[in-house]
Amino acid sequence: SSELTQDPAVSVALGQTVTITCRGDSLRIYYANWYQQKPGQAPVLVMYGKNNRPSGIPDRFSGSGSGNTASLTITGAQAEDEADYYCNSRDSSGDLSYVFGIGTKVTVL
Amino acid sequence: EVQLVQAGVEVKKPGESLKISCKASGYSFTNFWIGWVRQMPGKDLEWMGIIYPDDSDTRYSPSFQGQVTISADKSISTAYLQWSSLKASDTAMYYCARRESDNFYDYFHHWGQGTLVTVSS
């Protein structure tokens, strides 16, 4: 099965820009999706496909990707953006299965 | 409004059986796959499996095949995750989520609030 690799933690100053990266072979075939999870809460979808924000997600969130890499960028990070962020995609095995990255803890300083 | 409602907490002893539920509302239950995701304490998200409620077509992650059973009752718009004999290592939060897909995208948009399963003697 596939694996998705993420940096365990990143920090960003309030109002600055941070980019989280996800790498994996499955991303050569399938788009990445991104989920935000705050402590004690269920994950929330913040980005899907190449660069699609669900309704209600601020436009400071943007997505990009190329080859085996996908990225989520927060432009002008706010205190409420401090959370764990997980990437996910279909597994490249061909069957209907999925894989999640290990998550990136974003700290807003 | 799409909602997936899960019970809050289950406390069980090792060896006991358990069936947790995910009740859907606000959409046609039979038209969307429902997935299950495990999150062990302080750990990352793990995809467990997925079911299509209309015909109960089910797929499992190799890591969870044979360890759990996923089912659905379309008459009451509810998906289930069950164990026949729990282990302490099954202690985790379990989320259900609705799959959205088209020719280009495949993602989980709507999530339940999770069921915390604690297995302890």
Side-chain angles (χ1 to χ4, degrees), chain A residues 1 31 33 35 37 41-45 48-50 52 54 86 88 90 95-103, chain B residues 33 37 39 43-47 50 59-62 95 99 101 104-109 111-114:
Chain A
S1 60
Y31 285 119
N33 311 303
Y35 305 86
Q37 188 180 36
Q41 297 184 19
V44 173
L45 178 73
Y48 67 94
K50 192 165 189 177
N52 299 280
Y86 294 91
N88 133 269
R90 281 277 294 271
D95 198 2
L96 185 59
S97 61
Y98 297 84
V99 59
F100 285 92
I102 63 169
Chain B
W33 292 79
V37 176
Q39 188 169 41
K43 300 298 186 182
D44 51 315
L45 304 173
E46 301 173 89
W47 183 74
I50 195 166
R59 316 291 173 84
Y60 293 93
S61 161
Y95 295 101
R99 177 198 183 212
S101 67
F104 299 99
Y105 308 126
D106 196 331
Y107 56 94
F108 295 97
H109 189 176
W111 292 66
Q113 74 272 38

Side-chain angles (χ1 to χ4, degrees), chain B residues 80-94:
Chain B
Y80 300 98
L81 177 66
Q82 70 180 90
W83 296 258
S84 58
S85 180
L86 287 160
K87 300 184 285 287
S89 57
D90 292 317
T91 294
M93 181 71 84
Y94 294 88

Side-chain angles (χ1 to χ4, degrees), chain B residues 3-62:
Chain B
Q3 284 194 309
L4 299 174
V5 177
Q6 300 182 248
V9 178
E10 296 278 358
V11 180
K12 291 290 192 178
K13 291 180 167 46
E16 292 185 332
S17 62
L18 176 64
K19 191 174 189 178
I20 62 174
S21 63
C22 170
K23 181 165 178 60
S25 63
Y27 72 97
S28 177
F29 181 64
T30 53
N31 288 355
F32 293 84
W33 292 79
I34 294 282
W36 287 93
V37 176
R38 182 176 80 173
Q39 188 169 41
M40 299 178 76
K43 300 298 186 182
D44 51 315
L45 304 173
E46 301 173 89
W47 183 74
M48 301 177 71
I50 195 166
I51 187 166
Y52 192 64
D54 192 40
D55 60 6
S56 290
D57 184 2
T58 307
R59 316 291 173 84
Y60 293 93
S61 161

